[in-house]
C-alpha cells in the first residue's frame, strides 16, 4: 500500500502563507479574480467577468494562471451542466 499523497490533494490543502506566496507571483487580473472568488465562490466565468468588471478574455487568462498555480479549482455547475464554476483551493 502506497503512502504517497496525490498532488492535486496536496494543492487543495494549501496553507494561508503558501496561498498568498503563490498569488503574489501572479498578474493583477488573477489577484482580482481570486479576491472576487474569496467572497462569492463558486462563480462561472461570466459571473466573474460581471463581478470583477474585467473583459471575458482577461478573466479566462486569469483563471488559467490561477489553475496552473493550483489556487483555483473548478467543477460543473449544478444549475447548468454546460458551465463550469470556479472556487479557491485554500
Amino acid at each position: 500500500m502506497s503512502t504517497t499523497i496525490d498532488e492535486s490533494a496536496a494543492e487543495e490543502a494549501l496553507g494561508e502563507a503558501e496561498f498568498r506566496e503563490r498569488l503574489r507571483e501572479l498578474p493583477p487580473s488573477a489577484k482580482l479574480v481570486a479576491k472576487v472568488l474569496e467572497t462569492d465562490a463558486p462563480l462561472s466565468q461570466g459571473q466573474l467577468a460581471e463581478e470583477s468588471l474585467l473583459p471575458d478574455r482577461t478573466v479566462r487568462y486569469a483563471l488559467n494562471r490561477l489553475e496552473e498555480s493550483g489556487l483555483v479549482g473548478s467543477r460543473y455547475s449544478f444549475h447548468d451542466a454546460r458551465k463550469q464554476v470556479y472556487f479557491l483551493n485554500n
Side-chain angles (χ1 to χ4, degrees):
M1 182 171 184
S2 176
T3 59
T4 59
I5 297 174
D6 183 54
E7 189 173 320
S8 62
E11 287 178 351
E12 288 180 18
L14 289 176
E16 181 69 24
E18 176 68 18
F19 182 86
R20 292 176 63 83
E21 186 61 35
R22 289 186 189 186
L23 190 59
R24 184 172 285 123
E25 304 299 321
L26 297 176
S29 60
K31 292 173 184 169
L32 177 58
V33 167
K35 189 65 173 171
V36 170
L37 285 173
E38 186 177 66
T39 59
D40 294 331
L43 293 173
S44 69
Q45 182 180 324
Q47 291 169 318
L48 281 166
E50 189 175 302
E51 291 293 319
S52 65
L53 302 176
L54 293 171
D56 289 336
R57 186 174 180 175
T58 303
V59 170
R60 191 167 45 251
Y61 172 76
L63 285 170
N64 286 334
R65 295 294 305 270
L66 287 163
E67 283 182 315
E68 289 170 1
S69 297
L71 301 177
V72 167
S74 65
R75 63 169 169 76
Y76 288 103
S77 171
F78 296 132
H79 300 290
D80 186 349
R82 297 171 295 173
K83 294 182 180 180
Q84 286 198 339
V85 291
Y86 299 89
F87 53 90
L88 294 178
N89 283 337
N90 62 348

